[in-house]
Amino acid sequence: MKKFKFTLLAFMAAMMAISFTACSDDDPTPTPDPGINEGDYHFDLFVTVGKHGGMSSKNTTIVTSTSTLTADRGVITVEGVGSELGDYSMESISKGKYYYQIPGSADRFVKYQIKNNKIDVIAERPFKTNTYKVRAYTHAWIDDNTLVIISTNGDKDKVLYTKLKADDLTILDEGEVTIPAPTDWKKLTSSGILTYRKSDNKLYYFYYWKEKAGQTVASEQEPNFHAAIINPSTMKVEKDIISPVEGEMAGSAYGELMQDCVAYDEAGNLYLACFHEEASGLEKGMLLRIKAGETEFDTSYNGYSNADGKLMTVQYLGNNKALVYARNDNAPISDKAAAAGIKKPTVIDAFSHYYAIIDLTTGTKTRLSYNGKEIAYSGGRFSQRSVIFNDKAYIGVDTEEDANAIIYIYDIKTGTVEKGAEVEGKFYFDMIRVVEND
């Protein structure tokens, strides 16, 4: 059976900045907004060899680039092209032309570019006092040239931060984020989720305590998670709040290095993908909100009602709509999948995941469809599979029925869906990102 996982990481709105033609204040006819020129961007495709990659995998990863994902691109392959990532991980931070990450050697910060099918290192900076592990950190951009990295220490009982100047990776500041001490809990989740809310100039760090380090079940975790509200200038915690429901954040172990867990609407409302493990074992998805101008969770709100399983990602589309990637914890297991060793819909490669568009006011959920038919379940829990770019959502699916991965293109303004390019199924396609051209 094809074990194929396709991840799309959302390209941050800041890196899709629109250029405007300057005009004087008294100019009665300013130059119209020309919009985004799609020719200024390309897609980097990440595939692994022999087995799916991502989230601690050490399999060979190859990256290739393409200027389009429309149907006329045909079937994309990496044979004869692409570059191996080597010591670098596919889980990384991207902005503009560049990638930022901590490599497998876990000794430095690296900024690099994938150009002409080669890795071109732009800057490197050895760790100073604080040290970090590959994949186990979270991040936020305070501005276009200031990147904050946060993770727990080796003993999992402190929260560390490093503030970097993005152009040359100069370490501007580092230290510890002093969060309230626990009472009955001793260890922290690996990375948590960090986001910067521009409307109030605050960092929001979502985290929780556990009985022990490593993977735990709900009974071994603090029932409710926290949000530390941090002044980005001083990195001091100004307020620590607790979630109004029991559960944890999506992506708590890996930050947003592969999956988007936080979204903002036009008003500045903050949305966070979460889930709660019920007594039945169902990991019930939730979408919580902190309203613009407020620093407490909206206790009356759950934007993902009638959940049938775990909520992995959320991306804002506009007009009070969001695209989510979720799981049906009771999805059927086909005979073919069972014969290949997939016994439960909650395992990573089970074909139990789907895309849906939700109304953030009512919580109404509509499965993504093409030609009047719901798109089949996809495999791959650790998958983004979607990027919002220039009023379109590019959404990759890996179904049991299709030999190749298929990319569907959702027009945000009209709601129409067209079939786009495919990716050859003999490769394990894990991720795609949108990158500025050089």
Side-chain angles (χ1 to χ4, degrees):
M1 180 188 70
K2 168 175 65 82
K3 290 184 180 177
F4 179 65
K5 179 159 67 75
F6 185 7
T7 305
L8 288 161
L9 280 188
F11 181 52
M12 299 176 64
M15 78 185 230
M16 297 189 294
I18 299 172
S19 298
F20 291 86
T21 302
C23 58
S24 64
D25 292 340
D26 58 356
D27 185 353
T29 56
T31 303
D33 173 10
I36 291 174
N37 180 2
E38 293 191 2
D40 292 338
Y41 300 85
H42 66 270
F43 299 91
D44 279 349
L45 311 180
F46 294 67
V47 307
T48 50
V49 178
K51 185 179 180 181
H52 71 75
M55 300 309 186
S56 79
S57 168
K58 295 182 180 180
N59 297 292
T60 300
T61 302
I62 302 173
V63 186
T64 191
S65 302
T66 180
S67 60
T68 181
L69 289 175
T70 52
D72 56 2
R73 178 63 175 81
V75 178
I76 299 170
T77 182
V78 299
E79 285 188 324
V81 296
S83 59
E84 291 189 17
L85 281 183
D87 191 43
Y88 300 110
S89 163
M90 73 172 64
E91 299 94 338
S92 60
I93 302 160
S94 62
K95 187 176 180 62
K97 303 173 186 178
Y98 306 111
Y99 293 92
Y100 304 81
Q101 69 168 254
I102 295 155
S105 55
D107 58 355
R108 66 196 189 279
F109 302 102
V110 179
K111 173 183 179 179
Y112 67 91
Q113 188 175 17
I114 299 173
K115 185 177 178 182
N116 299 322
N117 292 320
K118 294 190 300 182
I119 303 294
D120 184 12
V121 175
I122 306 300
E124 295 181 282
R125 188 70 55 180
F127 294 155
K128 287 176 65 176
T129 302
N130 290 346
T131 62
Y132 301 90
K133 291 174 60 178
V134 61
R135 304 180 180 91
Y137 54 94
T138 186
H139 73 282
W141 291 92
I142 297 175
D143 55 48
D144 285 345
N145 199 35
T146 309
L147 174 64
V148 178
I149 302 290
I150 281 185
S151 183
T152 52
N153 64 342
D155 290 334
K156 306 299 182 188
D157 58 1
K158 294 180 180 179
V159 177
L160 307 178
Y161 77 87
T162 297
K163 193 180 295 185
L164 298 159
K165 186 180 177 184
D167 56 4
D168 62 2
L169 297 186
T170 296
I171 296 176
L172 301 171
D173 185 26
E174 65 176 347
E176 179 184 345
V177 178
T178 305
I179 58 175
T183 53
D184 300 324
W185 311 92
K186 304 303 180 185
K187 302 296 181 181
L188 288 156
T189 186
S190 297
S191 63
I193 299 293
L194 182 68
T195 186
Y196 172 71
R197 188 161 75 170
K198 186 176 181 180
S199 61
D200 56 4
N201 187 32
K202 294 292 185 288
L203 289 163
Y204 287 73
Y205 176 60
F206 301 96
Y207 69 97
Y208 64 87
W209 291 93
K210 307 186 290 184
E211 288 183 355
K212 59 184 181 181
Q215 189 172 1
T216 54
V217 296
S219 62
E220 298 172 322
Q221 299 173 184
E222 187 178 18
N224 299 68
F225 65 86
H226 296 246
I229 302 173
I230 303 168
N231 183 321
S233 297
T234 63
M235 295 303 291
K236 302 296 183 184
V237 175
E238 297 183 341
K239 187 176 184 180
D240 192 84
I241 62 176
I242 297 177
S243 63
V245 291
E246 294 183 358
E248 65 178 276
M249 318 81 67
S252 59
Y254 301 100
E256 291 186 285
L257 298 178
M258 285 192 78
Q259 296 176 293
D260 284 345
C261 308
V262 177
Y264 292 90
D265 62 19
E266 297 92 341
N269 297 314
L270 186 163
Y271 299 88
L272 177 69
C274 310
F275 63 93
H276 167 70
E277 185 178 336
E278 299 189 331
S280 64
L282 175 75
E283 290 184 321
K284 188 173 183 179
M286 302 177 291
L287 186 63
L288 303 187
R289 178 174 70 183
I290 300 176
K291 295 175 70 173
E294 299 184 8
T295 55
E296 295 282 348
F297 284 100
D298 182 349
T299 58
S300 65
Y301 184 81
N302 177 13
Y304 190 69
S305 56
N306 302 315
D308 50 9
K310 190 174 183 179
L311 177 62
M312 268 75 72
T313 72
V314 58
Q315 294 169 281
Y316 189 65
L317 295 172
N319 297 321
N320 216 35
K321 300 289 194 301
L323 176 69
V324 298
Y325 183 53
R327 184 178 72 206
N328 180 353
D329 282 12
N330 294 306
I333 301 296
S334 70
D335 292 341
K336 180 181 177 183
I342 295 177
K343 307 300 182 184
K344 299 189 298 183
T346 54
V347 299
I348 291 173
D349 289 320
F351 294 97
S352 57
H353 309 86
Y354 62 90
Y355 294 90
I357 295 169
I358 59 173
D359 186 307
L360 292 173
T361 300
T362 65
T364 303
K365 177 174 61 178
T366 305
R367 284 272 299 271
L368 187 70
S369 298
Y370 174 68
N371 280 348
K373 181 181 178 182
E374 287 184 350
I375 295 172
Y377 287 117
S378 293
R381 182 197 310 163
F382 294 121
S383 298
Q384 180 65 45
R385 284 207 180 107
S386 55
V387 63
I388 313 302
F389 177 61
N390 203 20
D391 293 325
K392 293 182 176 64
Y394 294 83
I395 304 168
V397 300
D398 163 32
T399 70
E400 191 172 19
E401 296 82 4
D402 296 309
N404 297 326
I406 298 174
I407 300 167
Y408 291 93
I409 304 171
Y410 173 80
D411 188 298
I412 295 172
K413 292 182 177 179
T414 65
T416 57
V417 178
E418 64 177 281
K419 186 179 286 189
E422 300 183 17
V423 183
E424 190 173 5
K426 69 179 182 180
F427 298 101
Y428 295 83
F429 199 154
D430 288 304
M431 192 171 75
I432 185 168
R433 296 195 178 184
V434 180
V435 182
E436 283 184 21
N437 294 335
D438 199 21

